[in-house]
Amino acid sequence: MIVAIDGPAGAGKSTVARLLAERLGFGYLDTGAMYRALTWLALREGLPLGDAEPLGELARRSPVTFDDVGRVSIAGVDVTAAIRHSRIDRMVPVVARHHPVREVMRERQRELAGRGNIVIEGRDIGTVVAPNAEVKIYLKADQEIRTQRRQAERPDIGEDALATDLRSRDKSDKERMQPAPDAQQIDTSHLQVEDVVEQIERLVRARLVPSP
Ligand code: CDP
């Protein structure tokens, strides 16, 4: 079974998706981490971020890998911490908008999704990567609350800079990615992580076929 969790930055996707996967005993795939890792590598290689084809080629020859505990690597380097820096936050949408890049990433994501029960988080999972996902969730939250949550994860950055970054990322992501029409939307602004996870867990369990 595929559980697709989409939504903007700070809506709670990662925390919820990780916990949910753990509770269900499902695999977990963070597609944002794949775009982030590629962005990190492109910056290291000094590739111009506006050039679609070379970035697509870089993606094809440098697959992103995840180990058992969720550490992220690309080109033989563990980039788990590096991809959460604000420079990467700002640059990811520039890289992620290129079609050749998305093609490679989506192909890999579908491959990984085909291996069994999995929770996949991203922005285009319920619409493009896995439109047949049995459970589709779109998490959202007020912008102010999303900024506050992000602030807790990026204590080194001022609130104004974070809010500006979130707004510009929302804008460029939204132009390309919308919630799936059949996704269940959950506003997490005033909900605890536990409550959101439980709500989704109930939906998933209701759809799981009981074993004979
Ligand atoms: O955690 P946060 O929402 O900040 O970001 P993320 O899920 O790690 O994704 C980072 C960026 O990658 C997003 O702002 C999108 O530009 C891009 N992305 C995408 O285009 N498609 C996806 N399936 C996932 C992420």
Side-chain angles (χ1 to χ4, degrees):
M1 173 189 284
I2 297 178
V3 181
I5 307 214
D6 290 303
K13 279 181 320 229
S14 294
T15 319
V16 165
R18 240 184 234 127
L19 209 59
L20 179 72
E22 205 177 287
R23 289 255 193 100
L24 293 165
F26 280 24
Y28 163 69
L29 178 62
D30 175 359
T31 62
M34 297 172 73
Y35 290 101
R36 286 173 179 273
L38 180 67
T39 304
W40 177 89
L41 185 60
L43 289 169
R44 192 192 71 167
E45 309 268 294
L47 277 189
L49 301 190
D51 291 356
E53 291 303 332
L55 287 168
E57 274 160 36
L58 186 68
R60 195 164 291 284
R61 64 169 192 271
S62 321
V64 180
T65 57
F66 297 90
D67 72 5
D68 289 348
V69 289
R71 298 199 70 84
V72 189
S73 298
I74 191 165
V77 184
D78 181 332
V79 293
T80 314
I83 59 173
R84 302 293 159 191
H85 287 166
S86 58
R87 182 156 184 239
I88 303 287
D89 287 343
R90 282 194 308 274
M91 297 305 184
V92 185
V94 182
V95 170
R97 70 180 321 145
H98 298 302
H99 288 293
V101 167
R102 301 200 75 78
E103 258 169 50
V104 175
M105 294 300 191
R106 286 168 169 168
E107 208 177 286
R108 292 237 168 83
Q109 289 157 12
R110 289 191 188 113
E111 230 173 78
L112 295 167
R115 292 189 190 161
N117 290 332
I118 191 163
V119 177
I120 312 183
E121 68 156 292
R123 295 227 175 6
D124 57 347
I125 310 306
T127 46
V128 184
V129 174
N132 297 328
E134 286 86 345
V135 176
K136 293 186 191 179
I137 306 292
Y138 189 85
L139 296 183
K140 53 188 187 176
D142 299 341
Q143 216 219 314
E144 221 167 277
I145 288 176
R146 294 195 287 118
T147 307
Q148 282 166 16
R149 287 179 183 160
R150 212 12 77 103
Q151 179 89 74
E153 295 168 357
R154 306 273 195 278
D156 51 317
I157 308 163
E159 195 172 330
D160 286 352
L162 257 178
T164 309
D165 169 47
L166 217 65
R167 263 198 303 273
S168 80
R169 210 139 63 89
D170 275 1
K171 187 169 176 289
S172 69
D173 287 342
K174 247 189 212 150
E175 277 165 12
R176 298 176 292 119
M177 292 170 284
Q178 297 289 330
D182 53 344
Q184 164 124 8
Q185 300 208 11
I186 303 177
D187 187 332
T188 69
S189 304
H190 305 290
L191 293 177
Q192 302 291 322
V193 169
E194 268 298 297
D195 299 329
V196 181
V197 173
E198 252 169 45
Q199 205 173 319
I200 306 173
E201 195 183 346
R202 270 200 300 275
L203 290 172
V204 175
R205 294 210 184 272
R207 295 198 122 239
L208 278 174
V209 183
S211 28

